[in-house]
Amino acid sequence: MRVLAFLFALLVALPLNANEIVGALSQNRVSLTANFTGSEILVYGAIRRDAAEVLAQGTVHEQSPFDVVVVIEGPRETAVVWRKARRAGIWVNVDSVTLASVPSYYAVATTNPLEQIITPETDAEHRISAQQTIRVAAGDDSVEDASIYTQALLRLRERSSAYLTLTRFVHVDRDILFRARVQLPASLTEGAYTTRLYLVRDGEVLNQFRTAIFVRKDGLERWLHQLAYDRPFIYGFLALAIALVAGWGASALFRLIRNG
């Protein structure tokens, strides 16, 4: 009932003179704890259709249906991608490219295959696909074709499930309500995960909506993280003490088992 009430409020609040998309998340905060194994996020929302278009439905001017694209992008980081080559019978690193801005996590959920619902020009303009969102560091011209390294990084991230392509994971009901479930992995990086919703028709983006998911360490994990940065000496001493106690305990247990 809360979801239906929320969607009804969205439909009432939006203006009548344009096709617009608006959405929400089942949760906008994720806590990283010792037993965190991942989290599922429900992305849902509504499409407010242009009044003139609704009135014209059923005529020869009826428009094609909408598509919805949901993008969840993790905090960006710098990545160095190396190319290996065989030298004197040994595989060694020979060339590298620095990618200055790489999402730590990237998921694209769509109503239909992405390449079928947006044009390459639209993808380049809005940077929707994972390939478009990766940027090479300025001034890094050490290799002729940096796209080889970008593709290699994409393959590695997809293999580790850090980058996801979720085709037909977005369900649209009567061109009004939509929903999608996206799985966040256990290996999340702390920070803000930007969530973008695109309303698409005939290859073009008509409207977009942005929100965010905030991921942070919680409990003991956050205390240790803050201690390592704020009090590195105390953190090092504590780590050494734990290691000594654990080693002594394991040795005592081994002697007890052997003598018993």
Side-chain angles (χ1 to χ4, degrees):
M1 290 298 294
R2 291 182 180 178
V3 173
L4 292 177
F6 173 78
L7 294 178
F8 177 77
L10 292 179
L11 291 174
V12 172
L14 287 174
L16 296 173
N17 58 353
N19 293 314
E20 296 189 62
I21 185 171
V22 68
L25 306 168
S26 59
Q27 57 177 331
N28 59 6
R29 294 188 180 275
V30 175
S31 298
L32 301 180
T33 59
N35 57 354
F36 179 74
T37 58
S39 179
E40 185 180 71
I41 301 295
L42 171 64
V43 184
Y44 60 94
I47 300 168
R48 181 59 182 267
R49 301 180 62 184
D50 177 58
E53 179 181 306
V54 174
L55 292 174
Q57 254 190 337
T59 69
V60 293
H61 303 291
E62 185 174 352
Q63 296 285 338
S64 57
F66 294 111
D67 281 294
V68 174
V69 179
V70 176
V71 176
I72 300 180
E73 177 183 323
R76 290 181 170 269
E77 58 192 12
T78 300
V80 179
V81 181
W82 288 87
R83 181 178 69 86
K84 289 182 178 292
R86 200 176 183 86
R87 296 288 188 270
I90 302 174
W91 288 96
V92 295
N93 295 327
V94 291
D95 294 317
S96 69
V97 164
T98 299
L99 304 175
S101 186
V102 178
S104 57
Y105 172 84
Y106 204 80
V108 181
T110 59
T111 48
N112 289 291
L114 186 63
E115 63 275 9
Q116 295 180 13
I117 63 177
I118 63 170
T119 63
E121 294 76 17
T122 299
D123 190 14
E125 177 184 355
H126 295 277
R127 296 185 180 275
I128 298 175
S129 67
Q131 183 172 359
Q132 287 291 343
T133 197
I134 295 175
R135 293 191 285 276
V136 179
D140 191 344
D141 53 359
S142 56
V143 297
E144 295 182 2
D145 188 6
S147 64
I148 298 175
Y149 297 82
T150 301
Q151 291 296 331
L153 179 68
L154 286 173
R155 289 194 299 271
L156 292 173
R157 294 288 172 94
E158 289 171 356
R159 197 176 302 163
S160 64
S161 297
Y163 286 10
L164 303 175
T165 301
L166 308 173
T167 302
R168 295 190 175 91
F169 268 62
V170 182
H171 305 280
V172 180
D173 185 16
R174 299 183 182 181
D175 274 352
I176 298 178
L177 306 178
F178 67 88
R179 68 187 187 280
R181 295 183 181 275
V182 180
Q183 186 70 32
L184 299 180
S187 56
L188 289 179
T189 301
E190 192 176 22
Y193 285 63
T194 303
T195 303
R196 307 192 301 273
L197 312 178
Y198 295 95
L199 181 64
V200 179
R201 172 183 277 168
D202 297 328
E204 301 295 329
V205 172
L206 303 180
N207 189 246
Q208 61 176 294
F209 179 87
R210 289 173 177 258
T211 183
I213 305 166
F214 298 96
V215 177
R216 57 172 287 173
K217 293 182 176 69
D218 204 2
L220 178 62
E221 289 74 18
R222 182 160 189 81
W223 181 79
L224 290 174
H225 181 268
Q226 290 298 117
L227 184 65
Y229 281 91
D230 299 339
R231 300 288 189 271
F233 177 79
I234 296 177
Y235 177 81
F237 179 80
L238 182 62
L240 179 61
I242 292 175
L244 290 174
V245 171
W248 175 84
S251 176
L253 179 62
F254 178 76
R255 288 197 304 271
L256 180 63
I257 294 175
R258 185 180 59 183
N259 295 334

